[in-house]
PDB file of all heavy atoms in Angstrom:
ATOM      1  N   VAL A  12      63.807 107.499 114.989  1.00 92.00           N
ATOM      2  CA  VAL A  12      64.965 108.357 115.252  1.00 92.00           C
ATOM      3  C   VAL A  12      64.925 109.586 114.338  1.00 92.00           C
ATOM      4  O   VAL A  12      65.203 110.706 114.769  1.00 92.00           O
ATOM      5  CB  VAL A  12      66.295 107.576 115.069  1.00 92.00           C
ATOM      6  CG1 VAL A  12      67.488 108.534 115.088  1.00 92.00           C
ATOM      7  CG2 VAL A  12      66.462 106.540 116.175  1.00 92.00           C
ATOM      8  N   LYS A  13      64.544 109.381 113.069  1.00 91.00           N
ATOM      9  CA  LYS A  13      64.437 110.519 112.132  1.00 91.00           C
ATOM     10  C   LYS A  13      63.355 111.503 112.591  1.00 91.00           C
ATOM     11  O   LYS A  13      63.537 112.720 112.497  1.00 91.00           O
ATOM     12  CB  LYS A  13      64.131 110.012 110.725  1.00 91.00           C
ATOM     13  CG  LYS A  13      65.363 109.476 109.996  1.00 91.00           C
ATOM     14  CD  LYS A  13      65.143 109.305 108.508  1.00 91.00           C
ATOM     15  CE  LYS A  13      64.387 108.058 108.184  1.00 91.00           C
ATOM     16  NZ  LYS A  13      64.292 107.799 106.737  1.00 91.00           N
ATOM     17  N   LEU A  14      62.240 110.966 113.108  1.00 90.00           N
ATOM     18  CA  LEU A  14      61.181 111.837 113.641  1.00 90.00           C
ATOM     19  C   LEU A  14      61.697 112.609 114.859  1.00 90.00           C
ATOM     20  O   LEU A  14      61.401 113.792 115.029  1.00 90.00           O
ATOM     21  CB  LEU A  14      59.953 111.003 114.027  1.00 90.00           C
ATOM     22  CG  LEU A  14      59.114 110.450 112.865  1.00 90.00           C
ATOM     23  CD1 LEU A  14      58.087 109.444 113.372  1.00 90.00           C
ATOM     24  CD2 LEU A  14      58.421 111.583 112.124  1.00 90.00           C
ATOM     25  N   GLY A  15      62.476 111.919 115.694  1.00 88.00           N
ATOM     26  CA  GLY A  15      63.066 112.569 116.867  1.00 88.00           C
ATOM     27  C   GLY A  15      64.021 113.679 116.455  1.00 88.00           C
ATOM     28  O   GLY A  15      64.020 114.764 117.042  1.00 88.00           O
ATOM     29  N   ALA A  16      64.822 113.423 115.420  1.00 89.00           N
ATOM     30  CA  ALA A  16      65.765 114.431 114.926  1.00 89.00           C
ATOM     31  C   ALA A  16      65.013 115.634 114.348  1.00 89.00           C
ATOM     32  O   ALA A  16      65.385 116.785 114.588  1.00 89.00           O
ATOM     33  CB  ALA A  16      66.674 113.818 113.857  1.00 89.00           C
ATOM     34  N   ALA A  17      63.939 115.345 113.614  1.00 89.00           N
ATOM     35  CA  ALA A  17      63.139 116.422 113.015  1.00 89.00           C
ATOM     36  C   ALA A  17      62.490 117.295 114.086  1.00 89.00           C
ATOM     37  O   ALA A  17      62.340 118.510 113.907  1.00 89.00           O
ATOM     38  CB  ALA A  17      62.067 115.828 112.109  1.00 89.00           C
ATOM     39  N   SER A  18      62.142 116.680 115.214  1.00 86.00           N
ATOM     40  CA  SER A  18      61.474 117.421 116.289  1.00 86.00           C
ATOM     41  C   SER A  18      62.397 118.438 116.961  1.00 86.00           C
ATOM     42  O   SER A  18      61.941 119.341 117.655  1.00 86.00           O
ATOM     43  CB  SER A  18      60.923 116.454 117.344  1.00 86.00           C
ATOM     44  OG  SER A  18      61.978 115.885 118.095  1.00 86.00           O
ATOM     45  N   LEU A  19      63.709 118.299 116.754  1.00 82.00           N
ATOM     46  CA  LEU A  19      64.664 119.249 117.335  1.00 82.00           C
ATOM     47  C   LEU A  19      64.584 120.608 116.657  1.00 82.00           C
ATOM     48  O   LEU A  19      64.988 121.620 117.216  1.00 82.00           O
ATOM     49  CB  LEU A  19      66.099 118.705 117.210  1.00 82.00           C
ATOM     50  CG  LEU A  19      66.451 117.481 118.054  1.00 82.00           C
ATOM     51  CD1 LEU A  19      67.809 116.946 117.631  1.00 82.00           C
ATOM     52  CD2 LEU A  19      66.454 117.823 119.533  1.00 82.00           C
ATOM     53  N   GLY A  20      64.090 120.604 115.418  1.00 78.00           N
ATOM     54  CA  GLY A  20      63.989 121.860 114.671  1.00 78.00           C
ATOM     55  C   GLY A  20      65.237 122.114 113.845  1.00 78.00           C
ATOM     56  O   GLY A  20      66.324 121.621 114.155  1.00 78.00           O
ATOM     57  N   SER A  21      65.080 122.893 112.803  1.00 78.00           N
ATOM     58  CA  SER A  21      66.172 123.139 111.861  1.00 78.00           C
ATOM     59  C   SER A  21      67.244 124.076 112.409  1.00 78.00           C
ATOM     60  O   SER A  21      68.285 124.276 111.778  1.00 78.00           O
ATOM     61  CB  SER A  21      65.618 123.718 110.560  1.00 78.00           C
ATOM     62  OG  SER A  21      64.898 124.905 110.825  1.00 78.00           O
ATOM     63  N   ASP A  22      67.023 124.658 113.589  1.00 78.00           N
ATOM     64  CA  ASP A  22      68.020 125.573 114.158  1.00 78.00           C
ATOM     65  C   ASP A  22      69.138 124.825 114.889  1.00 78.00           C
ATOM     66  O   ASP A  22      70.067 125.437 115.406  1.00 78.00           O
ATOM     67  CB  ASP A  22      67.346 126.582 115.107  1.00 78.00           C
ATOM     68  CG  ASP A  22      66.617 125.905 116.248  1.00 78.00           C
ATOM     69  OD1 ASP A  22      66.198 124.740 116.063  1.00 78.00           O
ATOM     70  OD2 ASP A  22      66.464 126.534 117.318  1.00 78.00           O
ATOM     71  N   ASP A  23      69.042 123.489 114.941  1.00 82.00           N
ATOM     72  CA  ASP A  23      70.087 122.711 115.609  1.00 82.00           C
ATOM     73  C   ASP A  23      70.503 121.527 114.713  1.00 82.00           C
ATOM     74  O   ASP A  23      70.364 120.365 115.090  1.00 82.00           O
ATOM     75  CB  ASP A  23      69.573 122.197 116.960  1.00 82.00           C
ATOM     76  CG  ASP A  23      70.692 121.668 117.835  1.00 82.00           C
ATOM     77  OD1 ASP A  23      71.869 121.746 117.413  1.00 82.00           O
ATOM     78  OD2 ASP A  23      70.402 121.143 118.924  1.00 82.00           O
ATOM     79  N   PRO A  24      71.040 121.822 113.513  1.00 90.00           N
ATOM     80  CA  PRO A  24      71.359 120.758 112.560  1.00 90.00           C
ATOM     81  C   PRO A  24      72.457 119.810 113.025  1.00 90.00           C
ATOM     82  O   PRO A  24      72.440 118.623 112.706  1.00 90.00           O
ATOM     83  CB  PRO A  24      71.791 121.524 111.303  1.00 90.00           C
ATOM     84  CG  PRO A  24      72.232 122.859 111.799  1.00 90.00           C
ATOM     85  CD  PRO A  24      71.368 123.152 112.982  1.00 90.00           C
ATOM     86  N   GLU A  25      73.442 120.331 113.804  1.00 90.00           N
ATOM     87  CA  GLU A  25      74.552 119.477 114.241  1.00 90.00           C
ATOM     88  C   GLU A  25      74.069 118.363 115.171  1.00 90.00           C
ATOM     89  O   GLU A  25      74.537 117.227 115.093  1.00 90.00           O
ATOM     90  CB  GLU A  25      75.643 120.313 114.932  1.00 90.00           C
ATOM     91  CG  GLU A  25      76.409 121.256 114.004  1.00 90.00           C
ATOM     92  CD  GLU A  25      77.350 120.535 113.043  1.00 90.00           C
ATOM     93  OE1 GLU A  25      77.469 119.294 113.116  1.00 90.00           O
ATOM     94  OE2 GLU A  25      77.952 121.215 112.198  1.00 90.00           O
ATOM     95  N   THR A  26      73.113 118.678 116.056  1.00 90.00           N
ATOM     96  CA  THR A  26      72.563 117.653 116.947  1.00 90.00           C
ATOM     97  C   THR A  26      71.729 116.651 116.159  1.00 90.00           C
ATOM     98  O   THR A  26      71.709 115.452 116.464  1.00 90.00           O
ATOM     99  CB  THR A  26      71.725 118.301 118.067  1.00 90.00           C
ATOM    100  OG1 THR A  26      72.545 119.236 118.779  1.00 90.00           O
ATOM    101  CG2 THR A  26      71.233 117.252 119.064  1.00 90.00           C
ATOM    102  N   GLN A  27      71.045 117.141 115.131  1.00 91.00           N
ATOM    103  CA  GLN A  27      70.297 116.234 114.251  1.00 91.00           C
ATOM    104  C   GLN A  27      71.253 115.236 113.594  1.00 91.00           C
ATOM    105  O   GLN A  27      70.957 114.041 113.502  1.00 91.00           O
ATOM    106  CB  GLN A  27      69.559 117.040 113.170  1.00 91.00           C
ATOM    107  CG  GLN A  27      68.360 117.824 113.700  1.00 91.00           C
ATOM    108  CD  GLN A  27      67.669 118.621 112.599  1.00 91.00           C
ATOM    109  OE1 GLN A  27      68.315 119.129 111.686  1.00 91.00           O
ATOM    110  NE2 GLN A  27      66.352 118.711 112.684  1.00 91.00           N
ATOM    111  N   VAL A  28      72.407 115.733 113.172  1.00 93.00           N
ATOM    112  CA  VAL A  28      73.421 114.869 112.544  1.00 93.00           C
ATOM    113  C   VAL A  28      73.916 113.822 113.530  1.00 93.00           C
ATOM    114  O   VAL A  28      74.124 112.659 113.166  1.00 93.00           O
ATOM    115  CB  VAL A  28      74.605 115.715 112.004  1.00 93.00           C
ATOM    116  CG1 VAL A  28      75.761 114.818 111.566  1.00 93.00           C
ATOM    117  CG2 VAL A  28      74.154 116.575 110.833  1.00 93.00           C
ATOM    118  N   VAL A  29      74.093 114.214 114.791  1.00 93.00           N
ATOM    119  CA  VAL A  29      74.540 113.273 115.834  1.00 93.00           C
ATOM    120  C   VAL A  29      73.558 112.107 115.952  1.00 93.00           C
ATOM    121  O   VAL A  29      73.951 110.934 116.023  1.00 93.00           O
ATOM    122  CB  VAL A  29      74.696 113.985 117.195  1.00 93.00           C
ATOM    123  CG1 VAL A  29      74.924 112.981 118.322  1.00 93.00           C
ATOM    124  CG2 VAL A  29      75.851 114.975 117.156  1.00 93.00           C
ATOM    125  N   LEU A  30      72.261 112.425 115.965  1.00 91.00           N
ATOM    126  CA  LEU A  30      71.232 111.384 116.061  1.00 91.00           C
ATOM    127  C   LEU A  30      71.223 110.477 114.830  1.00 91.00           C
ATOM    128  O   LEU A  30      71.153 109.251 114.955  1.00 91.00           O
ATOM    129  CB  LEU A  30      69.851 112.033 116.225  1.00 91.00           C
ATOM    130  CG  LEU A  30      69.369 112.296 117.656  1.00 91.00           C
ATOM    131  CD1 LEU A  30      68.043 113.039 117.622  1.00 91.00           C
ATOM    132  CD2 LEU A  30      69.234 111.010 118.447  1.00 91.00           C
ATOM    133  N   ILE A  31      71.299 111.088 113.658  1.00 93.00           N
ATOM    134  CA  ILE A  31      71.290 110.313 112.409  1.00 93.00           C
ATOM    135  C   ILE A  31      72.526 109.416 112.332  1.00 93.00           C
ATOM    136  O   ILE A  31      72.456 108.253 111.919  1.00 93.00           O
ATOM    137  CB  ILE A  31      71.217 111.239 111.172  1.00 93.00           C
ATOM    138  CG1 ILE A  31      69.913 112.048 111.177  1.00 93.00           C
ATOM    139  CG2 ILE A  31      71.342 110.435 109.887  1.00 93.00           C
ATOM    140  CD1 ILE A  31      68.642 111.221 111.187  1.00 93.00           C
ATOM    141  N   ASN A  32      73.681 109.941 112.756  1.00 94.00           N
ATOM    142  CA  ASN A  32      74.904 109.133 112.769  1.00 94.00           C
ATOM    143  C   ASN A  32      74.757 107.924 113.693  1.00 94.00           C
ATOM    144  O   ASN A  32      75.240 106.833 113.395  1.00 94.00           O
ATOM    145  CB  ASN A  32      76.108 109.969 113.210  1.00 94.00           C
ATOM    146  CG  ASN A  32      76.634 110.858 112.100  1.00 94.00           C
ATOM    147  OD1 ASN A  32      76.395 110.600 110.927  1.00 94.00           O
ATOM    148  ND2 ASN A  32      77.353 111.896 112.461  1.00 94.00           N
ATOM    149  N   ALA A  33      74.089 108.136 114.830  1.00 94.00           N
ATOM    150  CA  ALA A  33      73.910 107.059 115.806  1.00 94.00           C
ATOM    151  C   ALA A  33      73.096 105.913 115.219  1.00 94.00           C
ATOM    152  O   ALA A  33      73.432 104.736 115.406  1.00 94.00           O
ATOM    153  CB  ALA A  33      73.245 107.605 117.066  1.00 94.00           C
ATOM    154  N   ILE A  34      72.042 106.229 114.484  1.00 94.00           N
ATOM    155  CA  ILE A  34      71.216 105.165 113.890  1.00 94.00           C
ATOM    156  C   ILE A  34      71.950 104.521 112.711  1.00 94.00           C
ATOM    157  O   ILE A  34      71.816 103.310 112.458  1.00 94.00           O
ATOM    158  CB  ILE A  34      69.813 105.686 113.477  1.00 94.00           C
ATOM    159  CG1 ILE A  34      68.910 104.514 113.043  1.00 94.00           C
ATOM    160  CG2 ILE A  34      69.873 106.704 112.387  1.00 94.00           C
ATOM    161  CD1 ILE A  34      68.619 103.490 114.097  1.00 94.00           C
ATOM    162  N   LYS A  35      72.776 105.309 111.997  1.00 95.00           N
ATOM    163  CA  LYS A  35      73.575 104.737 110.902  1.00 95.00           C
ATOM    164  C   LYS A  35      74.559 103.705 111.448  1.00 95.00           C
ATOM    165  O   LYS A  35      74.780 102.657 110.832  1.00 95.00           O
ATOM    166  CB  LYS A  35      74.334 105.848 110.169  1.00 95.00           C
ATOM    167  CG  LYS A  35      73.479 106.606 109.146  1.00 95.00           C
ATOM    168  CD  LYS A  35      74.149 107.864 108.652  1.00 95.00           C
ATOM    169  CE  LYS A  35      75.404 107.622 107.875  1.00 95.00           C
ATOM    170  NZ  LYS A  35      76.003 108.910 107.395  1.00 95.00           N
ATOM    171  N   ASP A  36      75.140 104.003 112.611  1.00 95.00           N
ATOM    172  CA  ASP A  36      76.076 103.058 113.239  1.00 95.00           C
ATOM    173  C   ASP A  36      75.380 101.748 113.605  1.00 95.00           C
ATOM    174  O   ASP A  36      75.933 100.662 113.427  1.00 95.00           O
ATOM    175  CB  ASP A  36      76.693 103.674 114.505  1.00 95.00           C
ATOM    176  CG  ASP A  36      77.644 104.815 114.189  1.00 95.00           C
ATOM    177  OD1 ASP A  36      78.015 104.967 113.007  1.00 95.00           O
ATOM    178  OD2 ASP A  36      78.008 105.553 115.122  1.00 95.00           O
ATOM    179  N   VAL A  37      74.164 101.862 114.122  1.00 95.00           N
ATOM    180  CA  VAL A  37      73.396 100.669 114.491  1.00 95.00           C
ATOM    181  C   VAL A  37      73.069  99.852 113.240  1.00 95.00           C
ATOM    182  O   VAL A  37      73.212  98.618 113.232  1.00 95.00           O
ATOM    183  CB  VAL A  37      72.095 101.045 115.246  1.00 95.00           C
ATOM    184  CG1 VAL A  37      71.227  99.812 115.480  1.00 95.00           C
ATOM    185  CG2 VAL A  37      72.426 101.704 116.582  1.00 95.00           C
ATOM    186  N   ALA A  38      72.656 100.527 112.179  1.00 95.00           N
ATOM    187  CA  ALA A  38      72.309  99.834 110.934  1.00 95.00           C
ATOM    188  C   ALA A  38      73.519  99.117 110.337  1.00 95.00           C
ATOM    189  O   ALA A  38      73.419  97.973 109.873  1.00 95.00           O
ATOM    190  CB  ALA A  38      71.734 100.828 109.928  1.00 95.00           C
ATOM    191  N   LYS A  39      74.673  99.773 110.365  1.00 94.00           N
ATOM    192  CA  LYS A  39      75.909  99.161 109.843  1.00 94.00           C
ATOM    193  C   LYS A  39      76.295  97.943 110.688  1.00 94.00           C
ATOM    194  O   LYS A  39      76.689  96.901 110.158  1.00 94.00           O
ATOM    195  CB  LYS A  39      77.043 100.187 109.845  1.00 94.00           C
ATOM    196  CG  LYS A  39      78.353  99.657 109.270  1.00 94.00           C
ATOM    197  CD  LYS A  39      79.406 100.746 109.226  1.00 94.00           C
ATOM    198  CE  LYS A  39      80.724 100.248 108.646  1.00 94.00           C
ATOM    199  NZ  LYS A  39      81.384  99.239 109.486  1.00 94.00           N
ATOM    200  N   ALA A  40      76.168  98.084 112.008  1.00 94.00           N
ATOM    201  CA  ALA A  40      76.500  96.975 112.904  1.00 94.00           C
ATOM    202  C   ALA A  40      75.570  95.788 112.666  1.00 94.00           C
ATOM    203  O   ALA A  40      75.995  94.632 112.714  1.00 94.00           O
ATOM    204  CB  ALA A  40      76.419  97.434 114.360  1.00 94.00           C
ATOM    205  N   LEU A  41      74.301  96.080 112.398  1.00 93.00           N
ATOM    206  CA  LEU A  41      73.334  95.006 112.121  1.00 93.00           C
ATOM    207  C   LEU A  41      73.689  94.291 110.821  1.00 93.00           C
ATOM    208  O   LEU A  41      73.639  93.057 110.748  1.00 93.00           O
ATOM    209  CB  LEU A  41      71.917  95.565 112.037  1.00 93.00           C
ATOM    210  CG  LEU A  41      70.815  94.543 111.696  1.00 93.00           C
ATOM    211  CD1 LEU A  41      70.764  93.429 112.740  1.00 93.00           C
ATOM    212  CD2 LEU A  41      69.456  95.217 111.575  1.00 93.00           C
ATOM    213  N   SER A  42      74.064  95.053 109.809  1.00 93.00           N
ATOM    214  CA  SER A  42      74.464  94.457 108.525  1.00 93.00           C
ATOM    215  C   SER A  42      75.669  93.535 108.710  1.00 93.00           C
ATOM    216  O   SER A  42      75.703  92.414 108.180  1.00 93.00           O
ATOM    217  CB  SER A  42      74.801  95.571 107.526  1.00 93.00           C
ATOM    218  OG  SER A  42      75.292  95.033 106.327  1.00 93.00           O
ATOM    219  N   ASP A  43      76.646  94.008 109.496  1.00 92.00           N
ATOM    220  CA  ASP A  43      77.836  93.190 109.780  1.00 92.00           C
ATOM    221  C   ASP A  43      77.471  91.945 110.575  1.00 92.00           C
ATOM    222  O   ASP A  43      78.030  90.862 110.353  1.00 92.00           O
ATOM    223  CB  ASP A  43      78.874  94.009 110.562  1.00 92.00           C
ATOM    224  CG  ASP A  43      79.483  95.130 109.714  1.00 92.00           C
ATOM    225  OD1 ASP A  43      79.353  95.069 108.476  1.00 92.00           O
ATOM    226  OD2 ASP A  43      80.066  96.056 110.302  1.00 92.00           O
ATOM    227  N   LEU A  44      76.526  92.094 111.503  1.00 91.00           N
ATOM    228  CA  LEU A  44      76.093  90.961 112.327  1.00 91.00           C
ATOM    229  C   LEU A  44      75.403  89.901 111.482  1.00 91.00           C
ATOM    230  O   LEU A  44      75.649  88.700 111.647  1.00 91.00           O
ATOM    231  CB  LEU A  44      75.158  91.442 113.441  1.00 91.00           C
ATOM    232  CG  LEU A  44      74.542  90.351 114.332  1.00 91.00           C
ATOM    233  CD1 LEU A  44      75.630  89.561 115.047  1.00 91.00           C
ATOM    234  CD2 LEU A  44      73.582  90.957 115.348  1.00 91.00           C
ATOM    235  N   ILE A  45      74.540  90.343 110.573  1.00 90.00           N
ATOM    236  CA  ILE A  45      73.840  89.385 109.691  1.00 90.00           C
ATOM    237  C   ILE A  45      74.847  88.631 108.820  1.00 90.00           C
ATOM    238  O   ILE A  45      74.755  87.421 108.648  1.00 90.00           O
ATOM    239  CB  ILE A  45      72.777  90.104 108.835  1.00 90.00           C
ATOM    240  CG1 ILE A  45      71.620  90.576 109.726  1.00 90.00           C
ATOM    241  CG2 ILE A  45      72.245  89.187 107.734  1.00 90.00           C
ATOM    242  CD1 ILE A  45      70.591  91.440 109.027  1.00 90.00           C
TER     243      ILE A  45
END
């Protein structure tokens, strides 16, 4: 996901943040599930 965000280029930081937030949500949900 980080590689995918990086591929968007630095001219679209807000969309990069959207992607990073999405994976953070998954990671938090996994921690809660464990």
